[in-house]
Amino acid sequence: MRPKLSLWIATCFNIGKLPLAPGTWGSVLALLLWFTIIGSIRHITFFFLTIILFGLGVFISTIALRYFDQDDPQQIVIDEFVGQWIALLFVQKSIVLGLTGFILFRIFDIWKPWIIGKMDKISGGWGVMLDDAVAGIISLGLLHVFRMILA
């Protein structure tokens, strides 16, 4: 894959180049796209699309890391995008649930407690993607627990 295309995808259409909190902007983009498509595709389709994007993210991040010459540069935000989608898997379209999933994911992605911090230490494209995927999984679990409690 051409480096320019890889960087464009890794930065989620250059959102990762925004000066303030690029990871948060990557999550905002994911939330907005989730809101746009979740009512028009089945949840299982969204699940498989998220898995495909995770694999693409590992591949693309590996290429982008050579360009940025850092372990996990903040410009790469495909990991936040995918992590945010993981946090919203099998969630009904709802402003409250979407924003709650967004907040939970951002807290775990920034804080990086326990296993998330361990995943963050892995090098290469896997390391870029795994900490956000695990933050998304934990956020997803908590979001579904909250949903069940409030129902």
Side-chain angles (χ1 to χ4, degrees):
M1 185 172 286
R2 296 191 327 219
K4 271 191 169 181
L5 179 59
S6 297
L7 290 173
W8 193 65
I9 295 169
T11 61
C12 287
F13 320 108
N14 289 328
I15 283 180
K17 294 181 178 180
L18 291 174
L20 296 173
T24 299
W25 289 115
S27 292
V28 167
L29 175 64
L31 179 63
L32 292 174
L33 284 176
W34 172 79
F35 247 108
T36 302
I37 66 172
I38 201 59
S40 44
I41 65 171
R42 294 176 30 207
H43 287 285
I44 194 71
T45 305
F46 184 74
F47 171 78
F48 285 115
L49 184 57
T50 303
I51 297 299
I52 291 167
L53 283 176
F54 176 84
L56 178 65
V58 171
F59 178 72
I60 292 296
S61 295
T62 301
I63 294 169
L65 285 172
R66 291 185 207 127
Y67 173 82
F68 289 114
D69 196 29
Q70 296 174 356
D71 288 338
D72 191 356
Q74 66 178 7
Q75 296 94 333
I76 296 176
V77 295
I78 192 167
D79 52 334
E80 278 86 9
F81 185 97
V82 171
Q84 185 63 67
W85 271 18
I86 290 171
L88 297 170
L89 285 172
F90 304 107
V91 174
Q92 305 308 74
K93 188 175 187 176
S94 154
I95 292 173
V96 171
L97 292 175
L99 289 176
T100 304
F102 172 81
I103 291 166
L104 285 170
F105 174 70
R106 292 309 302 146
I107 287 170
F108 285 109
D109 183 37
I110 293 166
W111 181 28
K112 298 190 187 314
W114 185 52
I115 191 79
I116 301 168
K118 290 182 189 277
M119 295 293 112
D120 192 43
K121 294 183 186 344
I122 297 171
S123 62
W126 282 101
V128 169
M129 296 299 295
L130 278 175
D131 67 307
D132 295 276
V134 173
I137 291 167
I138 293 170
S139 301
L140 171 68
L142 285 174
L143 183 59
H144 282 282
V145 167
F146 291 158
R147 189 180 57 81
M148 287 187 298
I149 290 170
L150 296 175

